[in-house]
């Protein structure tokens, strides 16, 4: 269900824009309609009030928790069932963040990603994206939403932008704490700059060598790393937030001195931060995680050369850490049980 469809349904019941906003605000903030002395009878027309219980049930059905897998770092991986029995993953992050999925599967086919293996199965609707945040908020406070779960947000742009707008306007989430993460897409760069809510931007770089990047991300748009950074820089200046360049560090693949020179060449002087994330080994995929000390030395070397570099571990390392693994293990079971 689209967020816009919820608005239209409320409008058909006689809800004015302010009434629609209130109902949507309660939902996205995971707040009860009745708070203290504030009761729906005081602020909603009767047909809307009468329709609320059924609507709430429907919204609850957009994303249901199947299982939660807490990790030692304070994060928790959630396996989430959508209304039709498909499953996606969301991750509760330390420090009040949640990572949401924007597609079931993904068409980009990154060689090191489990989600990319099954291709794109379907889009996640804007309502289902927001519902993942609501699900998270029922467990913990959420002040940050990153679109780094399953899927490529630029391939589901209308729904992702609709969700971002609702989260940024009614969801009480600072715009810089909404993070649109993409492999790069010219149309997405254009649209992000036009929105009322301008999210922060994360760009999956992974290599400065165009041929290697094309091999690692086989169906990403054919933008060269330099073109990608030019787009990113323009958006960073427009939005006022630095671009977060993502670099999954793969042992023996993109950790060479030549790559580090390439990073310095591309990113020095840019309004940017480089997030270096040592690969999380996935059974069945032919990539290795570099040692932590080596990763630390690489990050320190870049920092010394003027690149603001943060070495990060992917959340939930100890519980099926790679995105797509929970679904790969359990998702088909959900679909079968529901069929
Ligand atoms: S890393 Fe992201 S863009 Fe690449 S295949 Fe996986 S989900 Fe898709």
């Amino acid at each position: 269900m689209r967020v816009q469809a919820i608005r239209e349904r409320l409008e058909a019941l006689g809800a004015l824009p302010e009434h629609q906003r209130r109902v949507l605000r309660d939902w996205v903030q995971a707040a009860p309609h009745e708070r203290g002395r504030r009761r729906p009878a005081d602020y909603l027309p009767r047909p809307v009030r009468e329709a609320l219980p059924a609507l709430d049930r429907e919204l609850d059905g957009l994303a249901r928790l199947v299982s939660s897998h807490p990790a030692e770092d304070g994060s928790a991986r959630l396996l989430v069932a959508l209304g039709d029995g498909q499953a996606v993953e969301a991750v509760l992050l330390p420090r009040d963040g949640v990572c949401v999925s924007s597609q079931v599967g993904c068409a980009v086919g990154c060689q090191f990603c489990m989600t990319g293996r099954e291709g794109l199965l379907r889009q996640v609707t804007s309502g289902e994206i927001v519902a993942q945040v609501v699900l998270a908020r029922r467990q913990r406070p959420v002040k940050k939403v990153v679109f780094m779960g399953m899927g490529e947000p630029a391939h589901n742009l209308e729904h992702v932008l609709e969700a971002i707008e609702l989260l940024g306007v009614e969801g009480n989430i600072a715009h810089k704490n909404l993070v649109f993460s993409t492999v790069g897409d010219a149309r997405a760069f254009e649209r992000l700059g036009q929105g009322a809510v301008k999210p922060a931007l994360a760009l999956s770089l992974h290599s400065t060598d165009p041929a290697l990047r094309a091999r690692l991300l086989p169906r990403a748009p054919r933008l060269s790393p330099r073109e990608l950074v030019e787009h990113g820089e323009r958006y960073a200046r427009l939005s006022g937030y630095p671009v977060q360049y993502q670099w999954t560090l793969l042992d023996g693949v993109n950790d060479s001195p030549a790559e580090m020179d390439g990073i310095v060449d591309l990113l020095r002087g840019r309004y940017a931060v480089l997030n270096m994330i040592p690969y999380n080994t996935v059974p069945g995929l032919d990539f290795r995680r570099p040692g932590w000390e080596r990763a630390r030395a690489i990050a320190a070397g870049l920092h010394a050369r003027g690149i603001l570099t943060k070495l990060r571990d992917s959340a939930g390392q100890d519980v099926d850490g790679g995105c797509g693994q929970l679904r790969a293990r359990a998702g088909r079971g959900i679909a079968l049980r529901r069929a």
Side-chain angles (χ1 to χ4, degrees), residues 68-110:
S68 175
H69 307 257
E72 283 178 4
D73 62 3
S75 69
R77 291 193 163 260
L78 309 181
L79 186 62
V80 176
L82 307 177
D84 62 354
Q86 287 289 359
V88 292
E89 294 179 22
V91 185
L92 304 178
L93 302 168
R95 295 178 293 284
D96 299 341
V98 62
C99 172
V100 295
S101 290
S102 57
Q103 298 184 301
V104 183
C106 182
V108 179
C110 298

Side-chain angles (χ1 to χ4, degrees), residues 144 148 179 201-203 205-206 243-249 267 272-278 307-312:
K144 180 171 184 166
M148 294 184 184
V179 183
L201 178 64
L203 287 177
L205 187 55
H206 305 313
V243 171
Q244 303 166 36
Y245 289 95
Q246 307 295 104
W247 191 282
T248 298
L249 196 64
L267 296 188
V273 53
L274 179 70
N275 289 324
M276 190 156 265
I277 308 130
I307 307 298
L308 179 56
T309 308
K310 297 191 176 167
L311 182 63
R312 299 181 185 279

